[in-house]
Amino acid sequence: MHRRDFLATTALGIGAATAPSALAKQSAAPELLAPTPPMGWNSWNSFATTITQDQALETATIMAEKLLPAGYDVFTIDIQWYEPEASSYTYNSAPKPEMDGYGRLLPAPNRFPSSAGGKGFAPIAEQVHALGLKFGIHLMRGIPRLAVERDLPVLGTRYTARDIADTSSICPWNPDMYGVDMRKPGAQAYYDSVFALYASWGVDFVKMDDMSRPYDAHAPEIEAAHHAIAATGRPIALSLSPGETPVPRADHVARYAQMWRISDDFWDSWDLLAAQFTRLENWNAHRRPGGWPDADMLPLGRLALGDRDTNFTPDEQRTVMTLWSIARSPLIMGGDLRYLDAATLALLTNREVLAVNQASTDNRPHFIADGMRLWTARAADGRDRYLALFNLTDEAQTIGARFDLIGLPQGWRARDLWRGADVGAFGDRFEQRIAAHGAGLYRLTRAG
């Protein structure tokens, strides 16, 4: 599950720290959301279901100070902000979510006291916006089961929750909602009412969950959310979760959402990280400005309700950031920013690395040898190239390839983007010593 210069008034754009590519400039028409991969922070990895108003505002303040200058601008409160008794990574079996009289979820006032009196998230959104950030929330697919039990009316219609609910369509891991049968009168009106409410609060980003499995069965609700957002007149980016979104549905998902998960929840396990390589390779041809395959949040720093720090080694952490950058996945930090250490901050805010994520083009994987992965991309100037090397084995190795095998001519000078240092000139091949489970990221400039 589950930054501040904008390219366009309505776009989730690249931060002041990075230069947009020509392609991004051309694509950033007013109607295009997310012309570059969204960057931000999400509460799930560190707070689970439990985040409160004070914690959220403290985190947003730190984010604005520490991460916004590097381009991270989407601040998102994840799942069950409407559940008064939310307490962990598990869900109450008999939830009693806060709702209005039309079955629309509201922040639990015991956790978000500024929401009292029907204000919803508007007061928090206002404070987040004042920090220069976008404000996002998590939303489960469907209509609350409690609204169906109470048979609440659908705003502006003669229909009720029972009329539109599909009680056979339930999330296998969360008990909050029933699906909405989009064939029923009043179904689109319900989604329209939900997004109208959240637009009135100042929401800029919605992470919508239980959307991609099974994809075809949920596609009508994906379309409904898209149409409801359009009806608000507010530029709200839509992020679909969790995966695995099927690659054959790439055109459909890119039509209706700005980013979509390509895996189940990604946590700090080497096996999970190794599996993301193939997924990102499979999705590579389907990435476009305004539509980003999402390898999930970055489980870095302090995690899991403060119980522990990331299990990734420093080399594995660099691998995560290198892979997400060269494959242009959204960069959504998940760790608790209240405990942000210098090493993690440096990892997240390396401007040369972030430029790969935000402004490279022609990104592509190459398959040269077992136990390694290699990606190339074109830099924003159109002349230089990026080269990422990955060692998937358990021992340090010399990793590289002949330039002709990766479609490049001979003769390049290389700069190590992680070290911020030149590493020399190379004739017909490039190679470097890479740590176990480690990565290197280089900018190549023609020699001579």
Side-chain angles (χ1 to χ4, degrees), residues 115-399:
S115 69
K119 297 184 182 70
F121 270 131
I124 291 180
E126 183 178 7
Q127 293 181 72
V128 170
H129 291 153
L131 291 168
L133 302 170
K134 298 282 189 176
F135 180 65
I137 60 173
H138 176 284
L139 182 65
M140 292 297 299
R141 176 183 65 90
I143 188 167
R145 296 186 193 183
L146 188 61
V148 177
E149 178 185 323
R150 295 176 179 174
D151 202 23
L152 297 179
V154 175
L155 180 65
T157 77
R158 59 187 179 87
Y159 303 104
T160 70
R162 290 180 187 170
D163 293 327
I164 67 170
D166 180 355
T167 58
S168 68
S169 177
I170 59 175
C171 176
W173 45 263
N174 176 275
D176 297 348
M177 315 288 268
Y178 290 126
V180 172
D181 187 340
M182 297 310 303
R183 300 169 298 181
K184 299 292 184 67
Q188 185 64 52
Y190 174 72
Y191 271 117
D192 289 350
S193 74
V194 168
F195 281 92
L197 177 63
Y198 299 160
S200 76
W201 294 347
V203 169
D204 306 295
F205 180 95
V206 172
K207 174 185 173 182
M208 200 160 181
D209 220 328
D210 189 35
M211 295 297 272
S212 300
R213 183 186 293 118
Y215 188 90
D216 291 351
H218 296 168
E221 290 184 84
I222 294 173
E223 296 176 15
H226 168 86
H227 294 313
I229 289 171
T232 72
R234 183 175 181 83
I236 300 173
L238 181 62
S239 168
L240 303 183
S241 181
E244 299 177 14
T245 303
V247 176
R249 297 296 179 264
D251 287 343
H252 183 272
V253 72
R255 189 178 308 131
Y256 294 107
Q258 283 67 57
M259 53 187 276
W260 52 90
R261 285 272 297 279
I262 63 171
S263 72
D264 283 328
D265 283 8
F266 174 72
W267 280 95
D268 46 334
S269 155
W270 171 249
D271 289 343
L272 294 178
L273 174 52
Q276 296 297 67
F277 281 89
T278 299
R279 294 189 177 101
L280 288 164
E281 290 158 3
N282 289 341
W283 274 100
N284 187 59
H286 305 288
R287 179 185 57 247
R288 66 190 71 173
W292 305 102
D294 176 19
D296 202 13
M297 294 174 290
L298 305 169
L300 306 173
R302 184 69 56 86
L303 304 172
L305 297 171
D307 287 348
R308 61 181 180 82
D309 291 331
T310 183
N311 288 318
F312 282 137
T313 68
D315 289 314
E316 291 168 345
Q317 294 176 52
R318 185 176 291 184
T319 294
V320 171
M321 287 297 296
T322 303
L323 179 59
W324 268 236
S325 294
I326 196 70
R328 305 199 71 190
S329 173
L331 296 175
I332 310 296
M333 170 60 169
D336 192 333
L337 300 186
R338 300 173 303 172
Y339 302 94
L340 186 62
D341 62 280
T344 305
L345 178 61
L347 190 74
L348 292 168
T349 60
N350 182 308
R351 294 169 186 260
E352 292 181 278
V353 172
L354 294 180
V356 182
N357 177 267
Q358 292 291 292
S360 62
T361 58
D362 195 27
N363 308 67
R364 56 177 299 195
H366 303 268
F367 306 96
I368 304 299
D370 291 343
M372 83 173 214
R373 291 290 198 277
L374 187 153
W375 282 65
T376 58
R378 189 182 297 269
D381 65 5
R383 301 183 301 274
D384 287 3
R385 299 293 194 274
Y386 293 119
L387 175 61
L389 305 178
F390 300 94
N391 179 7
L392 275 63
T393 74
D394 296 335
E395 302 290 339
Q397 291 198 54
T398 298
I399 301 287

Side-chain angles (χ1 to χ4, degrees), residues 22-81:
L23 179 59
K25 288 179 179 176
Q26 294 166 4
S27 301
E31 70 275 9
L32 181 66
L33 291 165
T36 59
M39 301 171 63
W41 178 87
N42 177 289
S43 63
W44 173 251
N45 286 158
S46 46
F47 289 96
T49 63
T50 71
I51 193 167
T52 66
Q53 177 169 318
D54 287 347
Q55 292 167 336
L57 292 175
E58 181 182 8
T59 300
T61 301
I62 298 168
M63 179 179 171
E65 177 188 355
K66 301 290 188 180
L67 297 183
L68 180 59
Y72 296 82
D73 70 347
V74 184
F75 173 86
T76 303
I77 294 176
D78 208 275
I79 193 168
Q80 285 205 329
W81 40 267

